[in-house]
Amino acid sequence: MGGCFSVSVSCDNVVNQVCQYLCLKGSYIHNLSQNLATLQKAMGLLKAKRDDVQGRVGREEFTAHRRRLAQVQVWLNSILTMENQYNELLNTSDVELQRLCLCRLCSKSMKLSCRYGKKVILMLREVESLISQGEFDVVTDAAPIAEGEELPVQSTVVGQETMLEMVWNRLMEDEVGVVGLYGMGGVGKTTLLTQINNRLSNKTGGFDVVIWVVVSQNATAHKIQGSIGEKLGVGGKEWDEKSDVERSHDIHKVLQRKKFVLFLDDIWEKVNLSTIGVPYPSRETGSKVAFTTRSQDVCGRMEVDDPIEVCCLDTDKAWDLFKKKVGENTLGSHPDIPELARKVAGKCRGLPLALNVIGETMARKRSVQEWRRAVDVLTSSATEFSGVEDEILPVLKYSYDNLDGEMTKSCFLYCSLYPEDGLIDKEESIEYWIGEGFIDEKGGRERAMNQGYEILGTLVRACLLLQDDKKESKVKMHDVVREMAMWIASDLGKHKERCIVQADTGIREIPEVKNWKDVRRISLMKNDIETISGSLECPELTTLFLRKNELVEISDGFFQSMPKLLVLDLSGNNLSGFRMDMCSLVSLKYLNLSWTKISEWTRSLERLDGISELSSLRTLKLLHSKVRLDISLMKELHLLQHIEYISLSISPRTLVGEKLFYDPRIGRCIQQLSIEDPGQESVKVIVLPALEGLCEKILWNKSLTSPCFSNLTNVRISNCDGLKDLTWLLFAPNLVADSVQLEDIISKEKAASVLENNIVPFRKLEVLHFVKLPELKSIYWNSLPFQRLRRLRLSNGCRKLRKLPLNSKSVVDVEKFVIKYDDEEWLERVEWEDEATKLRFLPLCTTRSMIF
């Protein structure tokens, strides 16, 4: 028989365990409604405790500048997680309660109901645990603000040491709260401000906190607040979710009790400090704000009256920076390299960005051939040089992109047609813009010109053009900015033949172009081209500059394939005659034939038959050409329905013998008039009619009587030896005279009747320049206020002039006034009105030469 195996189990134990299990499961179901209510109550208590703790933390963080404890943050994070889980559980509670049956003692799905009921019980326990953990005696600890963060930068600022000290001194002045640095892109503004930041970060200046914020384009108040909050230690997810107004209050609470420095780098529009929450700096708080920008307008909007311009380096300092980048080993590797390196550095025109990039590119190039190649490339096509198109031009392009409107952008790009290093005449450039159609002339020429000057001001304040130091009427474009403009005009280098620009490069013939049909603008001004043969098929050409060449001949038919040509400038050439193909130039709006072939006082271009066929013409310049205004030309001009501006020459015999100005519309258009006498005619006195539009009058060898010219702003008088006085110029703002017999500028006897109406002469006069006037004795018999006078110059002999029309109150802006004279003995003979007048003006007298 086999063995037996028996197991004895207590029946009571089994029954008990089964009952306990069933009771637990049953409680998940039949107590579900009660458990949910208990959980909801516990959750409400937990949220209340959380709100109390968060309130304490917030008050201590933003009023006492303390930092929340890590355990508090962990507890708050746990509640956030629990709250999300609770909301998910609560969303299905109605469904779970509806599943119950038999007076909620059973369920239609025991498995699902038990699982849900268990989740409720477990969550209730966790909530109760969190409630018990939320008893904190301390919720924050001391968190001192970092005094500042040192930023990476070169240890020395090569070439900008003086500028660095000037910025530092300005920032440290007690009366200065906000400092603005402006300048073109790549000039070193950020480098300077970084150096200042690093000085202060090393506890110099006694500031509690130093904050650096990179603003850049399209920055928002929210973004700037975020950067400041991070530096102040108040950042975090919860703070990020606050509104801008709440964040502003938080920042203000911290900074109002601190002596701070806020650096805002690269701002493109006004940063409203109050909106951000930054207390406005004052002498009492000692706080400071400093910013960099490319726009003078932004400086004005930031209420900085005297911003600091960061300029390009001078030649010596630029060379020092370039040498540092290239390295002595490379410079010493061949005796010819230093001279070539100076030429390469010179192409950067003192712009630190270009000096750095090009210097680094050349640092390992130790063959003289590579350096010669660098000079050639930078001269002929700088965009092909390594680093220029990738690292330099895109940085400068931000300024172009920030210009407001396509009109301003188009006007800026047009300025690149001028020669490298060349001066840009303001009025001339605006006339070109009008001709091209960038500026609408429908509202009148004066309105269009004013808009043009506004655009020029915008470009200067954006540091894309530079005001010339010597001539208010001129601006210029930095060579690297010019490269950027030509790069943009060529669609970032994709269509390089769209604009052909070889101005002042010494070429002797029209350059070769693969596809003339794609060319939009041609600038070949200031070269040595003598003849132009054949014709160019340029159906898209709108501007052609051939001025100031040596042109003597242009072949017939040259202009016949230029139907869209708008602007044509042939001035300053030796043209002896050519056919204009006027029927082909139906779109032409601007034509300049001034100063064509000058030999003593003879001109070669004599007739413009058929000029009336230029039906779209608005501006016609014929000054100092051999073309003279006569009845025949007047009839042609009368047919030009859109003409707005005319400058030309006229013979005095024509004025005496013929009545030319029968058309008042053309009379208004004549704004520049030269009365010339190449034949030494005997007419000594001529009378001009009242030309309402006349702005400049030029006389050669003539005396003149004239009615009032209300718009006359410029008069030039040369070789008019019969003139005794210029009383008729009572209202001329600018005066240039050259007449050896001139005795009085304003004759008291002749002016008596004019001055009975209390008219004050020369109210708008800015410049008085007298040349070769040995008989000049008087400018005016009494002192005059001269509200706008800036310069008085006496050149080449005005020995008899003893009394100046000045007293101790003359010249409003005396700080900018200067008296220039050539004869050192003249100053000793001057008879001043009184001692006060002498003390006011004697220090302003100088013999140093100056360009006017």
Side-chain angles (χ1 to χ4, degrees), residues 64-228:
H65 189 68
R66 294 173 65 84
R67 179 180 53 195
R68 68 183 64 188
L69 296 174
Q71 58 180 325
V72 173
Q73 187 60 52
V74 170
W75 183 75
L76 291 172
N77 291 341
S78 298
I79 294 176
L80 182 62
T81 302
M82 179 59 65
E83 190 173 10
N84 292 333
Q85 294 174 354
Y86 168 76
N87 290 332
E88 291 179 5
L89 194 69
L90 204 63
N91 286 337
T92 59
S93 62
D94 290 341
V95 175
E96 295 297 337
L97 290 173
Q98 291 174 6
R99 188 179 284 132
L100 301 181
C101 60
L102 298 177
C103 298
R104 296 189 175 179
L105 295 176
C106 194
S107 172
K108 298 173 184 178
S109 176
M110 293 293 292
K111 183 177 181 180
L112 292 177
S113 294
C114 285
R115 183 184 299 168
Y116 183 78
K118 184 178 181 180
K119 287 182 179 179
V120 173
I121 293 295
L122 293 176
M123 184 172 291
L124 178 59
R125 291 173 184 171
E126 290 183 32
V127 170
E128 291 172 343
S129 175
L130 286 172
I131 291 173
S132 64
Q133 295 172 21
E135 299 296 333
F136 298 104
D137 295 329
V138 178
V139 294
T140 61
D141 61 3
I145 301 175
E147 293 184 349
E149 179 184 355
E150 188 166 330
L151 302 173
V153 71
Q154 295 177 357
S155 57
T156 57
V157 183
V158 179
Q160 292 185 318
E161 298 85 356
T162 303
M163 177 66 69
L164 177 61
E165 292 307 313
M166 183 176 73
V167 176
W168 172 264
N169 293 335
R170 176 76 63 83
L171 190 65
M172 292 300 108
E173 290 179 14
D174 292 338
E175 300 298 328
V176 174
V178 182
V179 175
L181 307 182
Y182 75 93
M184 62 183 291
V187 80
K189 303 180 296 295
T190 298
T191 301
L192 284 169
L193 205 63
T194 302
Q195 289 281 351
I196 301 293
N197 172 84
N198 291 351
R199 281 193 188 183
L200 294 174
S201 297
N202 294 326
K203 301 182 180 181
T204 304
F207 293 94
D208 300 321
V209 56
V210 179
I211 305 169
W212 178 277
V213 179
V214 178
V215 180
S216 298
Q217 289 178 305
N218 304 318
T220 62
H222 191 83
K223 178 184 175 183
I224 298 172
Q225 287 175 336
S227 299
I228 295 174

Side-chain angles (χ1 to χ4, degrees), residues 440-466:
D440 192 352
E441 202 178 11
K442 291 180 181 179
R445 179 181 172 84
E446 182 179 359
R447 184 175 181 180
M449 293 298 293
N450 290 340
Q451 187 174 6
Y453 276 103
E454 182 181 34
I455 291 172
L456 282 170
T458 297
L459 295 175
V460 169
R461 291 190 297 273
C463 298
L464 287 170
L465 291 180
L466 306 172

Side-chain angles (χ1 to χ4, degrees), residues 345-371:
K347 294 296 180 181
C348 300
R349 293 295 187 269
L351 185 65
L353 173 64
L355 290 163
N356 283 320
V357 172
I358 294 176
E360 291 167 359
T361 301
M362 301 301 297
R364 300 298 300 170
K365 296 185 178 181
R366 299 184 177 180
S367 71
V368 69
Q369 291 82 5
E370 288 176 299
W371 282 90

Side-chain angles (χ1 to χ4, degrees), residues 725 727 744 746-755 781:
D725 68 82
T727 306
D744 300 292
I746 303 297
S747 167
K748 184 176 181 179
E749 178 183 354
K750 293 182 180 181
S753 59
V754 179
L755 298 177
W781 60 91

Side-chain angles (χ1 to χ4, degrees), residues 293-311:
T293 181
R294 300 189 189 186
S295 170
Q296 293 182 54
D297 285 337
V298 170
C299 293
R301 295 274 291 158
M302 292 293 290
E303 300 181 32
V304 177
D305 293 332
D306 188 20
I308 299 173
E309 182 180 9
V310 182
C311 301

Side-chain angles (χ1 to χ4, degrees), residues 25 54 81 285 397 405 416 422 478 572 612 617 658 660 707 732 744:
K25 293 290 186 178
Q54 279 187 332
T81 302
T285 63
K397 186 175 178 288
S416 65
H478 189 281
S612 58
L617 198 64
E658 301 186 56
L660 290 177
D744 300 292

